[in-house]
Amino acid sequence: MDLSPLLPLLHRTARVAALTGAGISAESGIPTFRGPEGYWKNHRPEELATPQAFQRDPRLVWEWYDMRRTRIAACAPNAGHATLARWEGRFADFAVITQNVDGLHQRAGSRRVIPIHGHIWEMRCTREETTILDYTTPLPNLPPHCPACGALYRPAVVWFGEALPMEALAECGRILDTCDVLLVIGTSGQVHPASTFPYTVLERGGAVIEINPTETPLSADATVSLRGPAAVVLPAIERELHREPS
Ligand code: BJW
């Protein structure tokens, strides 16, 4: 893979950000959503990832999240997550905006992570809106209930039709308005508003580097589009940067 077009973009660059999607966790053993091996090969997203689906059948939705929690608990961050965690030390200003709820960036050691779709280990009371962190797998009783008021707990994630957390969106805005380079890693670019983030950067003259084994709607517009798995391409970029005098 020819990584030479990247060097002028990343060499001596201060402000770099990454937007990640399910693909970065694929090599950790966590399925993506779309595609032949994706979570949604047997379910339509509206059956599982909407407030209406939860109202209709909270147990079914919780079974899906419980299955995913159990799987994620058995997985570890991969070389892609680890490379991004090290880049906090390489670039003066580095942040990860992630659509993933799996917490693997944080487990790899990244400290500046903005999880725009929430966190699978958090539950929120549907009455009081209080949240708790709970790492139990599998959960003993589905669906779980708030011990304080007895109402249903829901996963503290962002479903279709729900607004993203305001603070996270504001932080994304600051990053997208100032970064020199945005790496877009392992996302199909089908979900709004994350799908618009690369265009915010491109429109003000910033560079976008896409890393994905398959073509996406962004590929033609990205400054550089690299075909390959994140756990291979990110360490390869890091090696290339090390060979360059800093
Ligand atoms: C690899 C790899 C390897 C494989 N290495 N790569 C019509 C038009 C425009 C927008 C809308 C519309 N109708 C509705 C909307 C809005 C809607 C939306 O975008 N819908 C589209 C589907 C049409 N969006 C929303 O509703 C969002 N909210 C919103 O817009 O709010 C507005 C609002 C304002 C005020 C009040 C109310 C509302 C919320 C979206 C929430 C998405 N939630 C989910 C579930 C999260 C919880 C959970 O995890 O269960 O988020 S859906 C799911 O998709 C999940 C993901 O984060 C998200 C993105 O998926 P991702 O990461 O891109 O995964 P995949 O599987 O699609 O792609 C994986 C990629 O990896 C592929 O490209 C592979 O090739 C690649 N890959 N192996 C690197 N080894």
Side-chain angles (χ1 to χ4, degrees):
M1 181 182 310
D2 179 18
L3 297 174
S4 55
L6 293 187
L7 295 179
L9 297 178
L10 289 171
H11 190 55
R12 297 213 174 100
T13 301
R15 286 164 304 207
V16 179
L19 167 66
T20 65
I24 195 166
S25 296
E27 275 137 322
S28 293
I30 302 173
T32 60
F33 291 93
R34 299 163 184 87
E37 299 304 319
Y39 277 129
W40 287 339
K41 64 175 191 282
N42 298 323
H43 287 280
R44 289 185 308 139
E46 314 85 75
E47 287 176 59
L48 294 168
T50 65
Q52 294 77 10
F54 186 68
Q55 262 185 344
R56 202 165 48 235
D57 194 343
R59 189 185 170 87
L60 173 74
V61 172
W62 262 114
E63 278 170 359
W64 187 56
Y65 280 94
D66 193 42
M67 177 273 287
R68 288 174 56 198
R69 286 162 58 104
T70 305
R71 181 146 188 176
I72 291 165
C75 293
N78 64 51
H81 300 104
T83 304
L84 295 186
R86 283 193 295 274
W87 284 356
E88 279 187 8
R90 170 164 195 114
F91 299 101
D93 188 347
F94 187 84
V96 176
I97 300 169
T98 189
Q99 299 170 84
N100 300 344
V101 298
D102 57 29
L104 290 190
H105 286 299
Q106 294 88 334
R107 280 171 59 192
S110 284
R111 282 163 303 160
R112 193 161 171 220
V113 183
I114 300 113
I116 59 172
H117 290 165
H119 205 307
I120 202 163
W121 301 107
E122 237 173 63
M123 301 182 191
R124 189 165 71 237
C125 173
T126 50
R127 184 179 299 149
E128 300 169 325
E129 304 263 303
T130 48
T131 57
I132 57 152
L133 261 177
D134 186 326
Y135 292 96
T136 314
T137 57
L139 288 164
N141 296 304
L142 293 180
H145 288 81
C146 171
C149 74
L152 268 178
Y153 267 139
R154 59 161 283 177
V157 298
V158 181
W159 286 324
F160 287 115
E162 295 186 318
L164 277 61
M166 243 161 37
E167 260 178 42
L169 266 185
E171 179 69 356
C172 288
R174 282 191 288 274
I175 292 166
L176 299 168
D177 285 346
T178 53
C179 68
D180 304 306
V181 176
L182 179 70
L183 297 144
V184 180
I185 306 162
T187 176
S188 60
Q190 293 190 35
V191 175
H192 185 89
S195 55
T196 67
F197 292 176
Y199 293 91
T200 306
V201 174
L202 287 170
E203 276 159 22
R204 59 165 187 76
V208 168
I209 300 170
E210 183 189 54
I211 299 170
N212 199 310
T214 49
E215 202 171 306
T216 75
L218 175 67
S219 303
D221 300 320
T223 316
V224 180
S225 190
L226 299 170
R227 291 280 150 270
V232 173
V233 177
L234 286 166
I237 297 175
E238 187 176 46
R239 281 194 299 276
E240 197 69 23
L241 289 173
H242 277 150
R243 292 192 322 145
E244 282 289 295
S246 49

